[in-house]
Amino acid sequence: AQSVTQLGSHVSVSEGALVLLRCNYSSSVPPYLFWYVQYPNQGLQLLLKYTSAATLVKGINGFEAEFKKSETSFHLTKPSAHMSDAAEYFCAVSDLRAQKLVFGQGTRLTINP
Amino acid sequence: DTAVSQTPKYLVTQMGNDKSIKCEQNLGHDTMYWYKQDSKKFLKIMFSYNNKELIINETVPNRFSPKSPDKAHLNLHINSLELGDSAVYFCASMMRGSPHEQYFGPGTRLTVT
């Protein structure tokens, strides 16, 4: 069965610093992987997705993620953090057989001025 | 136009009451979901419908009953509300057979007193 582990429930960085949110997955088949962002009191918004094309995926708001099969990872990065990036971030893997997404537990990103 | 909408956005009610939450999507998707997000932000899938047919029914108390009158609507009825039902409930939709990119509604914050 597919599963996702997000390392670090809370990440804090300074404005302008590199953002790195870690995600490792477990999947018995080539996975589809996603990063979603949830701003306070809002629903989840898709940041980016990996669907077996390019391993480096670019998303909205300057975020990108790299699929590394050997490490079973799909870490999310942004070169320079902005105050507006403060939110909850979720990594997810697609369970094709069950027709559902399996989410990680989320990482809260805090940006310090 | 809102892609996935939910009503109401906030719902405050007393224990023992029965309440409903409605969801509508105008994306032309054929699959819809209900998720529960607890106070720790953990997302748990509850139900999924594909073309009005129930395809996922996770371990959810029988007090929760989903209904899909057509593929654009998925409602959630909750009987005999309990304190532990307090959470944010999200509706989502996707097109089956796609890479499982789901689109989320804004959420309904249910508070049971």
Side-chain angles (χ1 to χ4, degrees):
Chain A
Q2 280 80 356
S3 66
V4 171
T5 301
Q6 291 183 238
L7 299 174
S9 59
H10 184 203
V11 171
S12 182
V13 302
S14 298
E15 191 173 17
L18 171 72
V19 174
L20 171 61
L21 304 182
R22 300 176 188 273
C23 172
N24 287 89
Y25 69 92
S26 172
S27 177
S28 56
V29 297
Y32 293 147
L33 294 159
F34 306 83
W35 275 100
Y36 283 84
V37 60
Q38 184 181 23
Y39 298 105
N41 298 314
Q42 293 187 27
L44 278 72
Q45 179 182 0
L46 182 68
L47 267 181
L48 49 81
K49 60 183 179 183
Y50 168 76
T51 57
S52 73
T55 56
L56 183 62
V57 181
K58 294 188 184 299
I60 62 172
N61 301 338
F63 284 93
E64 61 182 37
E66 186 172 8
F67 172 70
K68 291 187 177 181
K69 184 178 178 180
S70 60
E71 299 177 8
T72 61
S73 68
F74 190 57
H75 301 334
L76 182 71
T77 60
K78 181 174 180 177
S80 177
H82 192 272
M83 295 299 290
S84 61
D85 295 326
E88 192 86 18
Y89 291 79
F90 294 91
C91 182
V93 64
S94 182
D95 184 330
L96 294 174
R97 184 185 61 81
Q99 291 285 308
K100 66 180 184 181
L101 288 178
V102 177
F103 284 89
Q105 70 272 36
T107 298
R108 182 160 60 96
L109 176 64
T110 301
I111 312 297
N112 302 313
Chain B
D1 281 344
T2 303
V4 183
S5 60
Q6 294 179 230
T7 54
K9 188 169 176 61
Y10 299 96
L11 186 54
V12 181
T13 188
Q14 292 183 325
M15 286 175 56
N17 285 348
D18 303 338
K19 291 293 179 184
S20 292
I21 306 171
K22 296 186 176 183
C23 178
E24 177 181 1
Q25 55 93 5
N26 62 6
L27 297 168
H29 291 165
D30 59 2
T31 305
M32 297 183 72
Y33 301 82
W34 278 113
Y35 290 87
K36 180 180 180 181
Q37 186 176 48
D38 62 23
S39 58
K40 295 185 177 180
K41 300 292 186 181
F42 182 71
L43 273 166
K44 179 182 176 182
I45 188 169
M46 301 174 69
F47 301 103
S48 173
Y49 270 76
N50 175 257
N51 281 324
K52 303 193 296 178
E53 179 184 352
L54 181 67
I55 58 171
I56 294 176
N57 185 352
E58 298 288 312
T59 307
V60 176
N62 291 336
R63 300 181 294 104
F64 290 79
S65 53
K67 281 189 171 55
S68 181
D70 55 59
K71 68 177 186 178
H73 296 84
L74 180 61
N75 303 324
L76 183 65
H77 187 75
I78 315 170
N79 290 324
S80 303
L81 278 155
E82 300 177 357
L83 291 176
D85 298 332
S86 296
V88 181
Y89 292 84
F90 287 103
C91 176
S93 73
M94 76 165 198
M95 182 61 76
R96 190 170 187 172
S98 71
H100 293 191
E101 178 179 329
Q102 293 185 15
Y103 293 81
F104 283 77
T108 295
R109 183 175 294 277
L110 172 64
T111 303
V112 182
T113 61

